[in-house]
Amino acid sequence: MLVNRKVLTLDEFTIQQLRSFPHATGELSNLLRDIGLAAKRVNVEVNKAGLVDILGDAGAVNVQGEDVKKLDIFANSQLVGVLSHGISCAGIGSEELKEIVVFDDEVSNQSKYICLFDPLDGSGNIDVNVSIGTIFGVYRRVSPKGQPCTKKDFLQPGINQVAAGYIIYGSSTMMVYATRRGVNGFTLDPSIGEFTLSHVNIKCPAEGRIYSVNHGNFFQYSDGVKKYIDACQKKTKASGGPYTQRYIGSMVADVHRNLIKGGIFMYPATLERPNGKLRLLYECNPFAFIAEVAGGKATDGNRRILDIEPTELHQRTPFFIGSSSMMDDLQLYINEN
Ligand code: AHM
Ligand code: MG
């Protein structure tokens, strides 16, 4: 039988990567496979969300005080389930859970990694058939192996991430993950139920023409951000005309598009939310890591996101991410105002 060896599955790819590190233990490959498995289960539920009574509010409010959708809970329990039963993860932190979960058992206490995730971001879009996603970041624990992991393991700056990624449940389902070696994308092939390598060594174009921001909050932004948005709309003919504004309100979809096509995504501080809306540990840090490996940039308007020393599991930050030259341009406007 002829087998197309050009098509690599997620497992085959991570194992291939492993072969070039003779001392690697395979724990990271295992962890990525576990996340891929949870994602496939979430994908099945997302796809039938319109058919069964899994849509809508679960009637609870999460630790951020927001309504929880049923699929959020499902996605969270799938991730916690696979990672706690796996061999690579000592504990997790999730947008849906107030505190970290320490997998205090013999195998997990020996595990090298901890994982932070937003199980289903953009869940306000579930009811209206818009793309949503899962976001994750993986860190090597700083506490000694052989013991339960601790909160310190989770409060590391994003630069310490070993891997970070996201799954987008969209017109097709894709998993994109980065290690320091590169960013690669895998599209779920429903015929075999496997993520297969489709986007090799993703690079974010240095220039872009898309800006993504919630215009409804315009008058709450700082002068620098307002002026930058104005400039995006007033680009001259010579510079190729105004930029295109695209904002889905589902960060995974917005940032994924800009990563591939070139663009900038902004969730600035507002008067109502002086620290921004998005969460540093499991929403911004993973994307900042992916963007930087792909050649892009990510800041809070002043600081590089990956350098921020976290103090709280659920802390928020203003967030700017995208093509390097657009980010440089934005910084000029912020610095001048
Ligand atoms: P969530 O974690 O409650 O789903 O919120 C995060 C989402 C992001 O995906 C998106 O970029 C942002 O909230 C949109 O917020 P807004 O509606 O204020 O523009
Ligand atoms: Mg979220």
Side-chain angles (χ1 to χ4, degrees), residues 33-79:
R33 190 187 54 207
D34 290 345
I35 292 174
L37 174 61
K40 284 190 247 179
R41 290 179 176 154
V42 173
N43 181 58
V44 170
E45 295 306 318
V46 168
N47 281 338
K48 64 184 189 199
L51 296 172
V52 292
D53 185 29
I54 200 159
L55 266 173
D57 294 347
V61 168
N62 74 7
V63 291
Q64 332 281 340
E66 299 149 334
D67 289 341
V68 175
K69 306 283 178 179
K70 285 181 186 173
L71 273 172
D72 293 24
I73 300 170
F74 179 80
N76 188 59
S77 62
Q78 288 305 319
L79 280 161

Side-chain angles (χ1 to χ4, degrees), residues 66 95 118 120-123 214 217 247 249-251 265 267 277-279 283:
E66 299 149 334
E95 177 176 334
D118 180 350
L120 210 55
D121 184 65
S123 51
N214 185 338
N217 294 332
Y247 190 71
S250 188
M251 179 167 60
F265 171 91
Y267 206 107
K277 175 183 182 186
L278 301 174
R279 289 64 158 200
E283 292 181 330

Side-chain angles (χ1 to χ4, degrees), residues 10 32 35-36 39 116-119 121 132-137 163-169 172-178 183-187 195 199 202 250-261 282-283 286-291 294 321:
L10 174 67
L32 291 166
I35 292 174
L116 280 152
F117 50 78
D118 180 350
D121 184 65
I132 47 181
T134 298
I135 311 167
F136 64 92
Y166 59 88
I167 295 100
I168 178 166
Y169 311 98
S172 54
T173 294
M174 252 188 100
M175 176 164 168
V176 175
Y177 84 88
V183 185
N184 291 283
F186 302 81
T187 302
F195 284 105
H199 295 60
I202 295 171
S250 188
M251 179 167 60
V252 178
D254 276 314
V255 178
H256 174 71
R257 179 201 54 237
N258 293 1
L259 180 71
I260 305 282
K261 293 192 168 183
Y282 40 78
E283 292 181 330
F287 274 120
F289 183 84
I290 296 163
I321 183 168

